[in-house]
Amino acid sequence: MDNIIDAHLVNVNGRILDRKSMGEDLFWAIRGGGGASFGVILQWRIKLVTVPETVTYFKVGGTIEEGATGIVHQWMHIAHNLPEELFIRVQPQVVPAGDHKTVNVSFTALFLGSAEQLLPLMERLFPKLELLPEDCREMSWVESTLLWADFPSGTPVSTLLNRTVMPAYGKFKSDYVRNYITKKGLNQIWRKMIEVEKVIMQWNPYGEMMSRIPETATPFPHRSGVKFMIQYIVVWFEDGNEASEKYNGLVRSMYEFMTPFVTNLPRESFLNYRDLEIGNTTDAYRTYSGARVYGIKYFKDNFERLVRVKTAVDPGDFFRNLQSVPPNKCHLDTNNDKN
């Protein structure tokens, strides 16, 4: 959203608008505010960024018995302050370990540069990971996207043209962390993960460029002060309501357990991981207060400006869904607490 420089949108009157004709308020709103609340987006014009011919990828990890907790604790203190050329994701996941279960933590990274440049940087900034030359793989940026998508090594780039969707069910939730989690807290999280077992978490660090952009620059407000974002993931292949209830219950249990470790008032969420459980509205019950429950979690104070834009461009609320931005006519109750 930060690199979008123009767009074409069909508005409620059927007109096709570009940035100039839609105006800066609407252009602001559709870049991170949920474009479906305001019209039909036909195309984006995006400012590209330069990447070097060679990037470096690595994926290493270990179990909590092998010292992963201490490594995660150091990552938490440095990941949001790493140079913008380096991104390191943490993914804790339950794995079998003989006759019991444990948590394995993987550290997956992309560096815009060579392994020769990366290794001394890692030794200085993230020594606990003990990254070795043989852990690093140099390639083009487009080749690295295959590894991030968990394709096997050597998969041809042409695979990216295959749009076949795996037949599976899934539930996703999100959180933001602004305060460091202690080692004691991490150990509590690992025990809960072993209890629910099927839920995977991805911890994606923010910082650097994200922190330099003001919260009001776009509707996306999760900027300065965010250490990392959590995505909760559970995927299953069984049909039926019983399986759905089971797996949704597992991710819901993990999400509730994480309450003390994440943001509150509001408990921030990422719009792209749509989660109807944090609040939703229906045609039969569509009020400002109902929409504000999820609106402030996705947009914080930017929600109010989004409502004003919606009122100006779609006062009849033609473009709506269970978590869309409402127009002013829905302002029936503005005293809802930030929960």
Side-chain angles (χ1 to χ4, degrees), residues 176-241:
Y176 284 90
V177 176
R178 291 180 178 270
N179 296 312
Y180 297 120
I181 302 173
T182 64
K183 289 182 180 179
K184 179 181 178 181
L186 290 173
N187 286 322
Q188 292 171 344
I189 292 169
W190 308 151
R191 287 194 291 272
K192 181 63 178 180
M193 288 194 72
I194 293 170
E195 176 190 321
V196 300
E197 188 177 345
K198 300 296 184 182
V199 178
I200 300 170
M201 288 195 286
Q202 290 182 347
W203 296 3
N204 295 302
Y206 279 24
E208 278 299 315
M209 180 60 73
M210 294 286 285
S211 294
R212 291 184 230 150
I213 299 172
E215 287 191 358
T216 56
T218 69
F220 180 87
H222 317 290
R223 303 282 189 174
S224 180
V226 172
K227 302 293 189 292
F228 58 95
M229 181 192 69
I230 300 175
Q231 182 184 16
Y232 305 87
I233 305 167
V234 65
V235 176
W236 67 97
F237 301 91
E238 303 100 306
D239 294 326
N241 290 334

Side-chain angles (χ1 to χ4, degrees), residues 31-238:
R31 291 178 300 135
S37 290
F38 305 95
V40 179
I41 308 295
L42 300 179
Q43 68 179 49
W44 299 109
R45 185 181 179 193
I46 302 172
K47 179 179 67 175
L48 301 181
V49 297
T50 301
V51 296
E53 289 188 11
T54 299
V55 302
T56 303
Y57 169 93
F58 71 76
K59 184 175 184 179
V60 298
T63 65
I64 54 178
E65 289 82 4
E66 295 169 332
T69 302
I71 302 174
V72 172
H73 192 255
Q74 185 176 74
W75 169 89
M76 197 182 311
H77 285 75
I78 60 97
H80 60 288
N81 288 321
L82 290 173
E84 62 184 50
E85 295 82 11
L86 177 59
F87 174 86
I88 305 176
R89 168 189 287 169
V90 162
Q91 181 169 307
Q93 183 173 353
V94 177
V95 297
D99 59 354
H100 68 286
K101 308 280 187 188
T102 189
V103 172
N104 184 83
V105 182
S106 63
F107 298 82
T108 309
L110 183 69
F111 175 66
L112 301 182
S114 67
E116 184 179 5
Q117 296 169 306
L118 172 62
L119 286 163
L121 188 68
M122 291 293 293
E123 185 176 357
R124 178 169 57 88
L125 298 177
F126 195 6
K128 278 190 175 293
L129 192 60
E130 297 182 347
L131 189 69
L132 301 173
E134 52 265 35
D135 298 324
C136 302
R137 299 184 55 191
E138 295 183 339
M139 62 195 71
S140 68
W141 176 84
V142 70
E143 289 171 329
S144 76
T145 63
L146 291 162
L147 298 180
W148 280 98
D150 291 324
F151 284 101
S153 178
T155 300
V157 171
S158 59
T159 302
L160 295 172
L161 299 175
N162 182 358
R163 311 307 293 176
T164 302
V165 178
M166 180 177 66
Y169 303 97
K171 173 64 180 176
F172 307 88
K173 297 177 81 70
S174 61
D175 262 321
Y176 284 90
V177 176
R178 291 180 178 270
N179 296 312
Y180 297 120
I181 302 173
T182 64
K183 289 182 180 179
K184 179 181 178 181
L186 290 173
N187 286 322
Q188 292 171 344
I189 292 169
W190 308 151
R191 287 194 291 272
K192 181 63 178 180
M193 288 194 72
I194 293 170
E195 176 190 321
V196 300
E197 188 177 345
K198 300 296 184 182
V199 178
I200 300 170
M201 288 195 286
Q202 290 182 347
W203 296 3
N204 295 302
Y206 279 24
E208 278 299 315
M209 180 60 73
M210 294 286 285
S211 294
R212 291 184 230 150
I213 299 172
E215 287 191 358
T216 56
T218 69
F220 180 87
H222 317 290
R223 303 282 189 174
S224 180
V226 172
K227 302 293 189 292
F228 58 95
M229 181 192 69
I230 300 175
Q231 182 184 16
Y232 305 87
I233 305 167
V234 65
V235 176
W236 67 97
F237 301 91
E238 303 100 306

Side-chain angles (χ1 to χ4, degrees), residues 275-294:
D275 183 6
L276 296 182
E277 293 181 342
I278 68 169
N280 64 83
T281 62
T282 65
D283 287 342
Y285 181 73
R286 183 159 172 76
T287 64
Y288 168 86
S289 61
R292 188 171 179 272
V293 171
Y294 58 81

Side-chain angles (χ1 to χ4, degrees), residues 241-315:
N241 290 334
E242 185 176 340
S244 178
E245 286 298 319
K246 171 188 173 182
Y247 290 102
N248 275 281
L250 292 177
V251 73
R252 195 179 298 126
S253 176
M254 191 74 226
Y255 178 81
E256 290 303 319
F257 177 83
M258 292 294 292
T259 301
F261 305 109
V262 299
T263 56
N264 61 82
L265 299 176
R267 185 168 184 172
E268 300 173 47
S269 295
F270 181 35
L271 178 66
N272 284 16
Y273 303 152
R274 288 283 189 177
D275 183 6
L276 296 182
E277 293 181 342
I278 68 169
N280 64 83
T281 62
T282 65
D283 287 342
Y285 181 73
R286 183 159 172 76
T287 64
Y288 168 86
S289 61
R292 188 171 179 272
V293 171
Y294 58 81
I296 62 166
K297 295 173 183 177
Y298 287 142
F299 310 118
K300 298 178 66 178
D301 291 341
N302 291 332
F303 178 66
E304 301 299 336
R305 182 178 175 186
L306 287 169
V307 169
R308 292 195 296 271
V309 175
K310 173 74 170 182
T311 303
V313 303
D314 183 19

